[in-house]
Amino acid sequence: MNKRIAVLPGDGIGPEVMNGAVRVLQAISDCFDHEFSFEEGLIGGAAIDDCGQPLPESTLALCRESDAILLGAVGGPKWDSTSHAVRPEQGLLGLRKELGLFANLRPVTAYEPLIHASTLKKEVIENVDLLIVRELTGGLYFGKPSERRGENKELVVDTLVYNVYEIERVVEKAFQLAQKRRGILTSVDKANVLESSRMWREVVNRIAKKYPDVTVNHMLVDSASMQLIYRPEQFDVIVTENLFGDILSDEYSMITGSLGMLPSASLRSDLVGLYEPVHGSAPDIAGENLANPLGMILSTALMLKFSFGLDKEAHIIEEAVMKVLNEGYHTGDLNLQHGKQVGTTEMVQKVIDAINENQAISGILTTYICG
């Protein structure tokens, strides 16, 4: 397999975790004789510093010509004083919009070695395996007008806008994913207050008729935020609009004990996707070899699965991460009381060693079985 991957390290710890992700993918390509070519582009604050724009046309062109995109992180206090139009986050929002990446997938699994790193009780989170599907290119973040008004700018207006087709396509994707999992879909809205949510609920009920094997529940966002902490194991797939999904997906980081563990995928109708960890740029630890690279590494596993159809290779990365955690290795953000704390580069190497060990054992077993 020959695939072109756009690499957008971004800001803060982005370059460090991205370097680790590329190394892991190179290990996978060596083991399975794939050919991954990597081409780097600027985005976010790094792009603002270079050319004054958070999403240069050259980066957008690179992403359009690539089979998948990896992104590290964007933003930081250095650019807080810049205008709204040139803030680092606008680069990421623009990329999602320009590429039509409408469905954001954020899986969360309770890793046994990290359960006690969570602030939640073990019996609450030990069986958690859920997926949040967030609409990504509509809603409050993209609605116009979004501005301040009045002589003294004392009035502010943000607009929440959805077209029915934007809701339909992400809900359809969520149903398809639920079919491949436990067959339970929870749609989260605010239908008791918002007209957009009432339309959302109508669309879910209409599309549900096509998927009789999927059980559908509706839940108001305030209730869902409580239930995610109170009884998270009840959820299989959650589908929701942009703002609600942004908030809820960060809330469930409490289940894993750290945002540094959470990968994400942003998909469109074809196989092209943007893959990034959920964590931010963490400028306070940038360049100190302290960042947790596992969210970025697990994002590459999602890329192999969803964009390239390489389920086995994706599973091997996930197994390698689990093996390293089971052996007690962890970065400082996980705040574990046992095992060995390591830096970014050592954690990456541990994952690569686990991948190579897995393949070496597989080779021995194949030789033994096949003679």
Side-chain angles (χ1 to χ4, degrees):
M1 178 172 286
N2 190 332
K3 294 293 184 181
R4 184 184 188 189
I5 301 169
V7 173
L8 312 181
D11 309 317
I13 62 172
E16 296 170 75
V17 297
M18 182 65 73
N19 179 64
V22 170
R23 288 182 59 207
V24 167
L25 285 172
Q26 288 170 334
I28 289 291
S29 68
D30 291 343
C31 289
F32 290 91
D33 200 26
H34 298 311
E35 186 173 338
F36 301 139
S37 60
F38 304 94
E39 188 169 344
E40 193 166 308
L42 294 172
I43 194 170
I48 292 172
D49 290 347
D50 182 77
C51 63
Q53 295 295 326
L55 181 60
E57 186 57 41
S58 58
T59 297
L60 191 55
L62 167 64
C63 293
R64 284 174 171 153
E65 295 165 1
S66 299
D67 298 300
I69 304 112
L70 294 176
L71 186 142
V74 296
K78 177 181 178 181
W79 302 280
D80 281 350
S81 61
T82 59
S83 70
H84 173 74
V86 294
R87 290 183 64 83
E89 295 78 10
Q90 292 305 116
L92 177 55
L93 293 176
L95 187 60
R96 291 169 175 170
K97 192 73 171 181
E98 289 293 328
L99 297 182
L101 304 169
F102 65 86
N104 181 236
L105 278 54
R106 296 192 175 189
V108 60
T109 302
Y111 294 95
E112 177 64 31
L114 302 182
I115 283 179
H116 64 283
S118 172
T119 56
L120 302 179
K121 295 178 180 178
K122 178 179 179 180
E123 58 268 26
V124 172
I125 65 173
E126 59 185 349
N127 296 315
V128 169
D129 178 15
L130 66 91
L131 174 67
I132 289 187
V133 182
R134 166 191 170 194
E135 199 289 321
L136 203 58
T137 58
L140 199 62
Y141 293 172
F142 293 96
K144 301 295 181 183
S146 177
E147 61 192 24
R148 298 188 184 188
R149 298 174 179 175
E151 290 185 7
N152 300 310
K153 304 298 182 183
E154 70 276 12
L155 177 67
V156 63
V157 175
D158 285 308
T159 306
L160 197 167
V161 176
Y162 269 114
N163 188 298
V164 67
Y165 83 88
E166 294 177 298
I167 303 172
E168 289 172 339
R169 62 187 182 180
V170 72
V171 167
E172 192 91 42
K173 173 65 74 174
F175 271 103
Q176 293 167 359
L177 291 165
Q179 277 187 317
K180 298 176 182 178
R181 292 170 54 92
R182 302 199 310 273
I184 303 171
L185 180 67
T186 303
S187 176
V188 173
D189 58 38
K190 192 63 177 170
N192 60 334
V193 175
L194 300 176
E195 189 61 34
S196 60
S197 283
R198 285 188 278 274
M199 175 184 279
W200 183 282
R201 189 170 291 204
E202 291 168 5
V203 170
V204 172
N205 287 336
R206 172 163 48 83
I207 293 179
K209 297 175 183 177
K210 297 167 54 179
Y211 298 90
D213 54 336
V214 176
T215 300
V216 179
N217 303 307
H218 294 283
M219 193 173 290
L220 297 177
V221 65
D222 41 350
S223 177
S225 64
M226 182 271 289
Q227 291 291 334
L228 269 172
I229 297 298
Y230 174 63
R231 198 162 64 87
E233 82 282 356
Q234 70 182 285
F235 296 105
D236 180 20
V237 176
I238 295 173
V239 64
T240 191
E241 60 100 67
N242 206 342
L243 176 62
F244 299 159
D246 192 5
I247 296 169
L248 293 178
S249 57
D250 274 10
E251 179 189 7
Y252 75 66
S253 68
M254 286 291 89
I255 294 171
T256 61
S258 172
L259 277 174
M261 291 298 303
L262 299 178
S264 77
S266 300
L267 309 176
R268 63 189 190 196
S269 299
D270 59 13
L271 298 179
V272 175
L274 168 69
Y275 301 89
E276 57 178 319
V278 173
H279 64 68
S281 63
D284 55 318
I285 61 170
E288 299 184 16
N289 196 39
L290 296 174
N292 184 347
L294 296 183
M296 186 76 246
I297 290 171
L298 290 169
S299 295
T300 68
L302 295 182
M303 180 189 72
L304 295 178
K305 181 184 303 182
F306 288 108
S307 283
F308 301 162
L310 299 176
D311 289 355
K312 179 180 179 181
E313 288 86 335
H315 184 61
I316 285 171
I317 291 177
E318 292 165 349
E319 281 189 330
V321 168
M322 179 60 78
K323 181 177 187 297
V324 170
L325 293 174
N326 282 333
E327 291 174 349
Y329 296 103
H330 61 90
T331 44
D333 58 303
L334 297 175
N335 195 29
L336 302 188
Q337 302 302 314
H338 70 288
K340 180 183 179 183
Q341 182 173 324
V342 297
T344 308
T345 55
E346 188 175 355
M347 180 63 88
V348 171
Q349 188 59 51
K350 293 294 181 183
V351 173
I352 292 172
D353 290 344
I355 290 171
N356 291 332
E357 181 181 337
N358 178 297
Q359 290 310 101
I361 293 173
S362 296
I364 292 172
L365 289 175
T366 299
T367 302
Y368 176 77
I369 294 169
C370 298

